[in-house]
Amino acid sequence: MKIGFIGAGKVGCSLGKYLSLGGLEIVGYQSRSFASAREAAAWTGSRAFAEPLELLKEADLLFLSVPDGAISTVWLSLHALEADIQGKIFAHLSGSLSSALFEGAQERGAEAVSLHPLMAVPDRRSHELLAGAVFTVEGSAAGASRIASKLAALGNSVFPLPREAKTLYHCAASFVSNFAVALAHVGGSLFDRLGLGAARPALFGLMLANAKSVAALGPVQALTGPVERGDADTVRAHLEALSGSEKEIYRLLAQRLVEIARAKRPETDYAPLAELLLGPPLPPGDEVSMGNGRPGKK
């Protein structure tokens, strides 16, 4: 399988290097900036292409590693080219968008796939982070299977997704990554207000330790703190110390913590806490379950 990339950004360069080190053949890169394509090609031991058509002719698998908003535009420009794409695989690397963007690919005998590494890629040379990374794949069965088999051979776990699940999948990832940054910002801002800005590393260290506990035990068993203890007095004091959006964030998250605490300690009466937080009950089917020590739907 000869692999090409249109787009020489962080994910495209990192994935290309990772695949090349794994013994797969990288044909090369094409980008809006030829200098970027040339740099990516040098980094991966491949070639830089000035025109997408030339790369398209040589690649069996073509990744559109461009920003989400540009995927459809790039695909339509490729689709308009006078080129035989029979048997080729087209893939993009967006976490939120599906393979439906490759409209008309199947009619011309091509495979359409979306592939996403479930991780943050900080720069163009993050290939080492991809070792052991989990990927999700969605799209045409044959194309998805071929890509998944290549990654599995490199030691990666690959989980299939139905097309309609991409948005919720990306939403889940945002909760534990981007939203965690928002929570860190709130906590850090409160420390700054107290004159404890210099102690921020310790505060974020607490966050890191808790994340490790969640990864090892699951959210239910990892839960500690005043909500888990049923300590309504402390929660009330927290609410009184906060205002505005910070108070609302706390209230909404504490409602969820009450449900998690009930799963961990069903013998404890959390009614006073629930009343204090004035939260409506969760919809049927969304209760937190112990599962295997991890939350899930009943």
Side-chain angles (χ1 to χ4, degrees):
M1 181 187 288
K2 297 180 179 180
I3 302 171
F5 290 83
I6 293 181
K10 295 184 293 185
V11 181
C13 285
S14 298
L15 181 60
K17 183 68 171 181
Y18 177 66
L19 296 178
S20 68
L21 290 175
L24 297 177
E25 183 178 356
I26 307 300
V27 176
Y29 288 79
Q30 190 274 330
S31 180
R32 287 187 303 173
S33 165
F34 187 71
S36 295
R38 188 166 50 204
E39 182 180 347
W43 171 238
T44 57
S46 60
R47 288 185 287 154
F49 290 78
E51 299 296 332
L53 178 59
E54 298 306 312
L55 177 57
L56 177 60
K57 288 179 179 179
E58 296 203 27
D60 303 312
L61 165 59
L62 187 60
F63 282 107
L64 274 58
S65 51
V66 297
D68 286 12
I71 295 172
S72 183
T73 300
V74 173
W75 162 246
L76 290 175
S77 68
L78 291 173
H79 192 267
L81 295 174
E82 294 295 330
D84 180 13
I85 62 173
Q86 178 81 27
K88 292 184 182 293
I89 304 172
F90 294 90
H92 67 68
L93 300 166
S94 169
S96 61
L97 301 175
S98 76
S99 61
L101 290 181
F102 295 115
E103 186 177 357
Q106 184 175 4
E107 287 75 8
R108 294 177 60 182
E111 305 287 339
V113 175
S114 68
L115 178 75
H116 184 248
L118 188 55
M119 58 170 288
V121 180
D123 55 50
R124 300 172 79 194
R125 301 199 172 194
S126 300
H127 57 285
E128 293 180 348
L129 298 178
L130 291 170
V134 170
F135 287 80
T136 55
V137 65
E138 169 275 327
S140 58
S145 177
R146 291 183 67 190
I147 292 176
S149 67
K150 297 296 183 184
L151 288 168
L154 297 179
N156 298 98
S157 295
V158 185
F159 292 90
L161 279 177
R163 177 180 292 182
E164 62 275 12
K166 283 298 296 269
T167 298
L168 194 57
Y169 155 77
H170 194 252
C171 182
S174 294
F175 263 108
V176 300
S177 57
N178 310 134
F179 287 8
V181 173
L183 292 177
H185 186 269
V186 172
S189 296
L190 294 176
F191 258 40
D192 290 344
R193 200 177 304 167
L194 295 168
L196 295 174
R200 270 173 167 246
L203 179 67
F204 298 150
L206 175 63
M207 188 177 191
L208 179 61
N210 198 52
K212 290 180 178 178
S213 181
V214 169
L217 303 174
V220 173
Q221 293 303 318
L223 179 63
T224 61
V227 172
E228 188 261 353
R229 296 193 301 269
D231 186 351
D233 290 339
T234 296
V235 172
R236 181 180 293 105
H238 287 175
L239 289 169
E240 290 172 352
L242 297 171
S243 62
S245 63
E246 292 169 349
K247 185 172 186 175
E248 185 64 9
I249 291 169
Y250 184 100
R251 188 183 69 82
L252 291 173
L253 291 177
Q255 289 177 33
R256 188 71 174 201
L257 290 183
V258 168
E259 299 304 318
I260 298 172
R262 281 172 168 157
K264 183 178 181 180
R265 298 174 57 178
E267 74 283 358
T268 301
D269 180 13
Y270 290 101
L273 258 181
E275 183 178 355
L276 171 64
L277 295 167
L278 298 177
L282 289 172
D286 198 30
E287 301 90 348
V288 177
S289 169
M290 286 288 285
N292 293 317
R294 292 166 170 78
K297 292 187 177 181
K298 289 183 179 179

